[in-house]
Amino acid sequence: MKPALLALALAVAGLVGCATPAAVSAPALALRILPPLTQFGLEGRLQVRDGERSAAVGIDWQHGPARDEWLFTGPLGQGLARIEADGAGARMLLSDGRRSEAASASELAESLLGVSAPFDALPRWVTARPAATAQVRRLDLLGRPLQLVDQGWTIDYLEYAGEAPDSPPRKVDVQRGDTRLRLIVDSWNP
C-alpha cells in the first residue's frame, strides 16, 4: 500500500473510532453487574414535582443494611426534618419538634414532600444497581445503565460521578406520570 493511501486509511479509521455513540441500546451491550451497596452515604439536592406541587430540599442520606437516616434541609441549610427507618418502622422529627411514626419511610416522606415514591427501591436506583426484574433500556459504553424501568418508574441516569465503571451516579431522574424526583449528588461516602 502506498504511504499516502495508508495514511488516509489510518485517518479514516481514527475518525470512525471517534464516532462511537455515548449510549447504546441494552441488547447491544451487556449490563455491568455490580454487587449491591449495603452501606453508603450521600449528600446532595432533591427536587420533587407532582403535578403543580414542587419542592426542593437538601438531603443527607445514610444508608445501612438495617437502617436508613435522611436529613432534609431547606434552601438556607436549616433542618426541616429527620426521618429514620429500620425493621421496627419509621419515625420523623420535624424542625418544630413534632414527631410522626409510620410503618415505612415512604409514608413519612410523602407527608413531608407531597409525593409518593417507593423508598425501598431508592438504594438500588441511586447506586445504579437495578433489580433483576427491572427493564434496562439503555446503557453507556461502560455497561452502566442510562435508563431503566422498575415498578412502573422510569429512572434516567443523566450523569455519573466519574469515568470508572463502578462510579456512582451524580444526577438521577425518577419519573412516573406527573411525579418526578431529581437527585443531584454532591458527594458520596461509600
Side-chain angles (χ1 to χ4, degrees):
M1 184 177 274
K2 293 182 180 180
L5 191 55
L6 179 60
L8 179 62
L10 290 174
V12 169
L15 288 175
V16 170
C18 292
T20 306
V24 293
S25 63
L29 189 67
L31 173 67
R32 181 177 296 274
I33 305 295
L34 297 173
L37 283 180
T38 58
Q39 188 166 339
F40 64 82
L42 67 81
E43 291 181 33
R45 295 159 280 153
L46 179 65
Q47 300 166 346
V48 178
R49 189 175 67 222
D50 190 12
E52 297 193 17
R53 298 178 297 175
S54 65
V57 296
I59 183 171
D60 181 340
W61 178 12
Q62 302 301 313
H63 172 73
R67 186 171 190 276
D68 282 286
E69 184 176 316
W70 296 270
L71 174 62
F72 297 98
T73 58
L76 300 177
Q78 74 277 16
L80 297 176
R82 177 179 304 276
I83 296 177
E84 298 174 353
D86 55 29
R91 295 146 308 280
M92 180 169 63
L93 175 62
L94 297 173
S95 61
D96 63 7
R98 289 182 292 150
R99 296 179 183 269
S100 301
E101 292 188 17
S104 71
S106 294
E107 294 175 47
L108 294 175
E110 183 175 356
S111 71
L112 177 68
L113 301 172
V115 298
S116 175
F119 268 58
D120 58 327
L122 290 180
R124 287 192 320 273
W125 293 352
V126 302
T127 59
R129 285 154 167 87
T133 57
Q135 177 189 12
V136 179
R137 290 195 173 161
R138 289 186 310 132
L139 300 170
D140 70 6
L141 294 175
L142 298 175
R144 301 178 299 191
L146 289 177
Q147 185 179 68
L148 60 96
V149 176
D150 190 11
Q151 301 176 33
W153 293 82
T154 300
I155 301 94
D156 288 301
Y157 297 93
L158 305 176
E159 184 180 325
Y160 279 86
E163 295 300 317
D166 62 348
S167 292
R170 182 172 137 49
K171 290 183 184 176
V172 182
D173 262 0
V174 178
Q175 183 174 354
R176 182 174 72 184
D178 288 340
T179 303
R180 178 181 219 148
L181 297 94
R182 173 173 277 185
L183 175 66
I184 301 170
V185 180
D186 296 320
S187 67
W188 280 95
N189 183 13

